[in-house]
């Protein structure tokens, strides 16, 4: 009974604090929507709305077959439904370079004088055709445009070889980041990240800061003189933290219904691993609370650790090949293994031993250190 | 927070203009000491931007990348192929494999951009390890491979024309990826240093009664505002110079700063961002809510201002957001003063004047609202 009352009181205290509700429940859901909206189409050439602004400059008007080839090419790019290319045509007298510098164009393809010799080049071998120039700047969108245009011109060369016919090829794409036969799905990559982010918010901030705050305000001491047992207090505290986290997870699951995420997220295996992740992370919170008495110091440390962990766990991008002076943290940090474990389950791959062993080691370290310093929590 | 109360006692006994200057210098000294005692503030102003620079610089930028040439890839080849297959992949590097497992391992460890298994001349499997880091690039890699294997399949004899990439400089120096990243990191550093710090000055100080105590001293409200703001500007400048120094040492940043205009931009933009912090505080009233709103705004600006990836990668419906964010314009002026891009002098002056005047007006407003002994102002 006392456990129930304590739990309700602590849970109400949590939900009264706007910051806890916002950062634990609302923010991960908002970030999930943001990441999926912005980046889920990144791998799909056909859904890409790049809107690359290409300038086409003819130093002399093209004629014959050359005109037909490139005219059809640019017409096809312009009429592309995915809105990838936006083409503007210039004469040699126009100020196309100014347009490039003013960012009205991302890249320019320049057909020099004498390029019409290509018409002869189709028939005769040793005809010298001036090079097409691709003018670009050092901006990343411009260098991307340059690389795309290089690939397109390469394909034009190929089509000239085949007299315009497509080559019949069977090209099977295999993604090594998921089980063979399963295509890479960015949503399966980011969903575990958002779950871990919500879990980290509780374990790095809510939990240790609450423990130290209750201790410094004398709340723990006041509770200890009530009939409530110390174990009731401890479990009430844990359950109240857990409740906030569960709400966050429920919201993320609800949001995920609007996206095409692997159905494995409803499997017992995934839920089991999720629970394992929560317990491991919460032990982290106990670890932080064990070492720091002052809220200001704890707040600084947990902020540093939170951002380090968030960016060096592979939550948002792959960190497997970063330099060693940073990678050591990736290797010892349990969140790396927890998020990869969830991804493996979603991608129908098996769990690796280190995805369980290393987080388990941290779980026991957290519990043991906390138990050893239990006096700080029981005061 | 323990304020330097001793110095405030000294303020009571100082009168006259000469004494006013000494009082002002004392105030600055007090705020400097107080600033560096706030570990969280120091972390977020000094180390957080450095952390971002190191993380994003090591993960997303390869020192081998050159903006001048087409991006070159390394492909692994295995299977049933003829001897001169590598010529169809030129200028990209090709490595031949005896074992498919070794090929897959090297793709997963990122030694290879992609791997191709030739089953028959017209039947290939393409292995890749898709990750968010190379999302857009994977599309280009796919196009390069498709062209190469098709040319191999038909035994394409030659290219009928060549392509020449030409880099057009935008400023005094050619900016590399790290230079663009660095200017973005500097923008965010100025944003966080200005915006968060001023919420602390007016919000936290007001709540903790520091301002009320100041009001009983001879110190004028403008002295309080100017000295506290000056300290934050100074801290921000220190942070900026640390970032620039580290970028030059570890990433060979190529920036060619005009130091006078750079200093002007740092000061004007810090004042402008302080004004933004004041605006948030006026809208949200409570300090904690203001910190939360600022954090959300900071996150939005990180993703929508084109700092870490081009705005064109965002869905077309939300790209307009980048045009209303102050960080977008701040990044533009920083790229101008660092020599990697050009800008009209009028635009440069206009942006700086907007920052300065908006910042000063809002700081003056804040002094009227918050540096007062009125009891009905709640934070």
């Amino acid at each position: 009974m006392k456990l129930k009352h304590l739990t309700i009181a602590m849970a109400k205290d949590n939900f009264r604090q706007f910051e806890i509700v916002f950062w634990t429940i609302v923010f991960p859901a908002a970030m999930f929507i943001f990441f999926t909206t912005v980046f889920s189409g990144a791998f799909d050439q056909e859904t890409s709305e790049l809107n690359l602004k290409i300038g086409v400059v003819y130093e002399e008007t093209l004629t014959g077959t050359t005109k037909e080839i490139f005219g059809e090419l640019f017409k096809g790019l312009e009429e592309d439904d995915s809105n990838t290319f936006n083409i503007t045509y210039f004469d040699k007298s126009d100020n196309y370079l100014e347009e490039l510098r003013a960012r009205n164009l991302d890249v320019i393809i320049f057909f020099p004088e004498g390029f019409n010799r290509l018409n002869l080049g189709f028939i005769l071998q040793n005809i010298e055709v001036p090079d097409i120039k691709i003018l670009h700047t050092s901006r990343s969108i411009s260098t991307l445009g340059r690389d795309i245009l290089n690939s397109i011109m390469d394909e034009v060369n190929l089509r000239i070889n085949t007299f315009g016919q497509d080559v019949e090829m069977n090209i099977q794409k295999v993604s090594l980041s998921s089980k063979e036969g399963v295509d890479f799905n960015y949503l399966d990559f980011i969903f575990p990240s958002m779950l871990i982010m919500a879990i980290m918010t509780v374990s790095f901030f809510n939990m240790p800061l609450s423990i130290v705050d209750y201790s410094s305000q004398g709340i723990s001491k006041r509770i200890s003189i009530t009939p409530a047992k110390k174990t009731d207090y401890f479990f009430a505290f844990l359950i109240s933290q857990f409740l906030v986290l569960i709400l966050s997870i429920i919201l993320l699951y609800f949001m995920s219904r609007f996206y095409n995420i692997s159905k494995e997220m409803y499997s017992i295996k995934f839920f089991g691993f999720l629970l394992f992740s929560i317990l491991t992370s919460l032990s982290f919170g106990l670890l932080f609370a064990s070492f720091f008495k002052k809220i200001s110091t704890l707040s600084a440390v947990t902020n540093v650790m939170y951002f380090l962990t968030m960016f060096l766990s592979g939550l948002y991008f792959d960190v497997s090949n970063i330099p060693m002076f940073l990678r050591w943290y990736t290797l010892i940090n349990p969140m790396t293994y927890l998020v990869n474990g969830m991804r493996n389950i979603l991608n129908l791959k098996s769990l690796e031993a280190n995805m369980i062993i290393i987080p388990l080691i941290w779980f026991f370290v957290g519990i043991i250190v906390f138990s050893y310093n239990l006096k700080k929590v029981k005061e | 927070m323990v304020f330097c109360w001793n110095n405030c006692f000294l303020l009571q006994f100082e009168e006259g203009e000469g004494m006013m200057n000494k009082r002002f210098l004392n105030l600055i000294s007090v705020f400097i000491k107080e600033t560096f005692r706030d570990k969280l503030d120091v972390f977020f102003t000094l180390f957080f931007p450095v952390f971002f620079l190191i993380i994003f610089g090591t993960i997303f930028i390869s020192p081998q990348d050159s903006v001048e040439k087409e991006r070159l890839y390394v492909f692994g080849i295995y299977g049933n192929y003829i001897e001169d297959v590598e010529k169809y992949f030129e200028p990209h590097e090709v490595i031949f494999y005896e074992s498919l497992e070794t090929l897959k391992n090297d793709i997963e460890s990122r030694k290879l951009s992609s791997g191709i298994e030739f089953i028959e001349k017209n039947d290939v499997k393409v292995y890749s390890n898709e990750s968010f880091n190379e999302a857009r690039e994977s599309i280009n890699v796919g196009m390069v491979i498709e062209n190469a294997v098709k040319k191999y399949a038909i035994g394409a004899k030659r290219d009928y024309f060549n392509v020449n990439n030409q880099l057009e400089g935008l400023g005094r120096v050619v900016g590399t990826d790290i230079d663009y990243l660095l200017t973005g990191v500097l923008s965010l550093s100025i944003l966080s240093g200005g915006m968060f710090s001023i919420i602390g000055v007016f919000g936290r100080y007001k709540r903790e009664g520091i301002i009320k105590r100041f009001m009983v001293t001879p110190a004028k409200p403008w002295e309080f505002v100017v000295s506290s703001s000056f300290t934050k500007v100074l801290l921000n400048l220190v942070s900026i110079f640390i970032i620039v120094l580290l970028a030059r040492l570890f990433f060979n940043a190529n920036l060619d700063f005009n130091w006078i205009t750079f200093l002007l931009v740092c000061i004007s933009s810090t004042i402008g961002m302080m004004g933004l912090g004041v605006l948030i505080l006026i809208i949200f009233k409570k300090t904690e809510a203001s910190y939360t709103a600022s954090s959300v705004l900071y996150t939005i600006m990180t993703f929508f201002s084109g700092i870490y990836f081009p705005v064109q990668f965002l869905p077309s419906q939300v790209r307009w957001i980048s045009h209303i964010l102050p960080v977008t314009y701040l990044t533009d002026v920083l790229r101008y003063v660092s020599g990697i891009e050009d800008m009209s002098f009028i635009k440069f002056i206009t942006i700086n004047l907007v920052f300065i005047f908006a910042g000063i007006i809002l700081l003056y407003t804040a002094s009227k609202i918050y540096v007062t002994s009125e009891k009905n102002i709640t934070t």
Side-chain angles (χ1 to χ4, degrees), chain A residues 92-371:
Chain A
K92 65 178 178 181
S93 57
D94 292 329
N95 242 342
Y96 47 88
L97 281 178
E98 276 310 308
E99 296 294 301
L100 182 68
R101 291 190 187 114
R103 294 183 244 170
N104 296 326
L105 294 176
D106 296 318
V107 67
I108 292 172
I109 182 160
F110 182 92
F111 292 87
E113 196 170 330
F115 192 73
N116 281 313
R117 272 182 248 151
L118 183 61
N119 289 316
L120 276 176
F122 293 135
I123 310 160
L124 302 169
Q125 273 218 4
N126 297 321
I127 300 295
E128 205 173 301
V129 179
D131 294 348
I132 289 175
K133 285 186 206 164
I134 293 178
L135 310 177
H136 66 97
T137 66
S138 44
R139 290 178 152 260
S140 52
I141 189 66
S142 191
T143 54
L144 179 66
R146 171 202 67 196
D147 292 341
I148 290 175
L149 280 179
N150 274 297
S151 295
I152 291 173
M153 292 301 117
D154 202 23
E155 189 173 348
V156 171
N157 262 314
L158 170 69
R159 291 289 186 120
I160 295 173
N161 271 283
T162 62
F163 300 103
Q165 301 301 314
D166 196 8
V167 178
E168 276 196 31
M169 286 286 302
N170 179 25
I171 303 176
Q172 189 186 340
K173 292 179 184 170
V174 178
S175 171
L176 295 177
S177 51
S178 49
K179 189 175 171 179
E180 190 152 342
V182 176
D183 288 337
F184 176 78
N185 183 357
Y186 176 73
L187 299 169
D188 293 344
F189 175 86
I190 202 65
F191 183 68
S193 307
M194 295 298 108
L195 288 171
I196 293 289
M197 184 184 176
I199 294 169
M200 274 172 55
T201 306
V202 172
S203 60
F204 280 63
F205 292 115
N206 302 2
M207 206 164 130
L209 289 174
S210 295
I211 289 173
V212 173
D213 188 40
Y214 284 174
S215 178
S216 62
Q217 285 191 59
I219 293 172
S220 313
K221 205 181 274 186
R222 282 175 224 169
I223 290 179
S224 70
I225 60 169
T226 68
K229 290 183 203 161
K230 291 180 176 57
T231 46
D232 286 344
Y233 166 73
F234 177 67
F235 283 110
F237 177 79
L238 276 184
I239 294 169
S240 65
Q241 297 293 327
F242 200 73
L243 281 173
V244 178
L245 184 54
I246 287 298
L247 268 181
S248 175
I249 292 171
I250 290 171
L251 183 59
L252 281 169
Y253 265 82
F254 174 73
M255 302 302 310
S256 70
R257 291 176 67 82
F258 300 100
Y259 298 95
N260 182 22
I261 300 179
S262 167
K263 296 296 175 225
E264 287 301 307
M265 67 184 222
Y266 297 112
S267 66
I268 306 258
K269 194 174 178 184
F270 190 84
F271 282 130
F273 198 83
L274 179 60
L275 183 63
F276 173 63
S277 304
I278 292 170
L279 292 173
T280 306
S281 304
L282 290 183
S283 71
F284 243 66
L286 297 177
L287 197 62
F288 284 129
S290 304
F291 286 114
F292 303 100
K293 285 183 190 170
K294 287 171 71 174
I295 274 218
S296 57
T297 314
L298 176 63
S299 185
V301 169
T302 53
N303 266 287
V304 171
M305 297 307 296
Y306 180 82
F307 283 101
L308 264 179
T309 307
M310 194 162 66
F311 287 105
L312 293 178
S313 302
L315 294 193
Y316 305 123
F317 34 73
D318 182 41
V319 291
S320 53
N321 279 310
I322 56 177
M324 205 55 204
F325 77 90
L326 285 174
R327 204 181 337 152
W328 65 270
Y329 188 80
T330 312
L331 295 171
I332 66 167
N333 161 30
M335 304 303 166
T336 309
Y337 303 96
L338 293 174
V339 74
N340 284 334
M342 286 191 206
R343 285 176 185 151
N344 273 22
I345 296 172
L346 292 181
N347 290 319
L348 301 172
K349 289 170 92 172
S350 56
L351 285 173
E352 294 167 20
N354 57 12
M355 290 173 184
I356 297 180
I357 292 171
I358 293 174
L360 206 57
I361 290 172
W362 279 102
F363 172 74
F364 284 118
V365 165
I367 295 294
I368 290 167
V369 171
F370 175 72
S371 302

Side-chain angles (χ1 to χ4, degrees), chain B residues 23 33 55 63 79 107 116 129 137 182 193 208 229 245 270 273 276 294 297 336 359 364 367:
Chain B
R23 183 173 69 218
K33 287 177 193 170
I55 293 289
I107 294 169
I116 302 106
N129 194 24
E137 198 178 283
L182 177 60
E208 294 178 5
S229 305
L245 185 66
T270 303
M273 296 308 153
L276 182 62
S294 301
L297 191 62
Y336 168 66
Y364 176 76
S367 73

Side-chain angles (χ1 to χ4, degrees), chain B residues 107-123:
Chain B
I107 294 169
E108 283 177 321
S109 60
R110 308 215 180 276
K111 288 178 190 164
L112 301 173
S113 309
S114 202
I116 302 106
E117 180 188 358
F118 285 89
I119 300 164
E120 296 292 338
K121 218 174 185 186
N122 289 69
D123 189 6

Side-chain angles (χ1 to χ4, degrees), chain B residues 89-258:
Chain B
F89 288 86
E90 280 173 2
H92 305 284
E93 188 185 341
V94 162
I95 301 174
F96 295 96
Y97 284 80
E98 300 285 326
S99 154
L100 185 59
E101 278 314 303
T102 314
L103 172 81
K104 286 182 183 177
N105 289 338
D106 281 358
I107 294 169
E108 283 177 321
S109 60
R110 308 215 180 276
K111 288 178 190 164
L112 301 173
S113 309
S114 202
I116 302 106
E117 180 188 358
F118 285 89
I119 300 164
E120 296 292 338
K121 218 174 185 186
N122 289 69
D123 189 6
V124 299
K125 271 187 184 176
V126 177
Y127 297 96
S128 60
N129 194 24
E130 287 167 321
S131 77
F132 173 69
N133 300 23
E134 300 105 22
R136 291 285 168 182
E137 198 178 283
S138 69
I139 298 171
N140 198 43
V141 168
M143 286 169 71
V144 167
I145 292 173
E146 192 172 329
N147 288 336
V149 297
K150 283 181 177 178
K151 282 185 183 177
Y152 166 78
I154 62 165
K157 295 204 172 20
R158 63 183 177 109
D159 283 342
Y160 286 81
F161 59 87
N162 292 316
V163 174
N164 191 346
N165 298 313
Q166 192 169 304
L167 176 66
E168 290 296 319
L170 291 172
R172 296 191 298 280
V173 294
V174 172
T176 59
D177 285 344
I178 190 63
D179 297 323
Y180 277 90
L181 175 68
L182 177 60
T183 49
V185 169
L186 287 173
S187 303
L188 291 176
S189 167
I190 292 170
L191 168 71
S192 67
M195 187 170 64
F196 288 106
S197 62
I198 215 64
I199 292 172
V201 167
F202 290 112
R204 188 163 53 85
Y205 284 8
K206 184 79 181 180
R207 186 188 58 203
E208 294 178 5
I210 305 298
I211 294 180
K212 199 191 290 187
R213 286 174 219 173
F214 262 108
M215 297 310 296
V216 302
T217 71
K220 305 278 186 297
W222 71 264
E223 287 175 336
F224 176 86
V225 173
V226 172
S227 54
S228 59
S229 305
F230 175 80
T231 312
K232 304 305 178 190
V233 170
L234 203 63
L235 183 65
N236 229 12
L237 283 175
V238 169
S239 167
I240 287 163
F241 284 107
I242 291 174
I243 294 168
V244 171
L245 185 66
L246 287 174
R248 283 226 160 132
L249 282 174
F250 294 110
F251 297 103
N252 293 317
N254 202 27
L255 304 174
D256 175 28
F257 284 106
N258 179 327

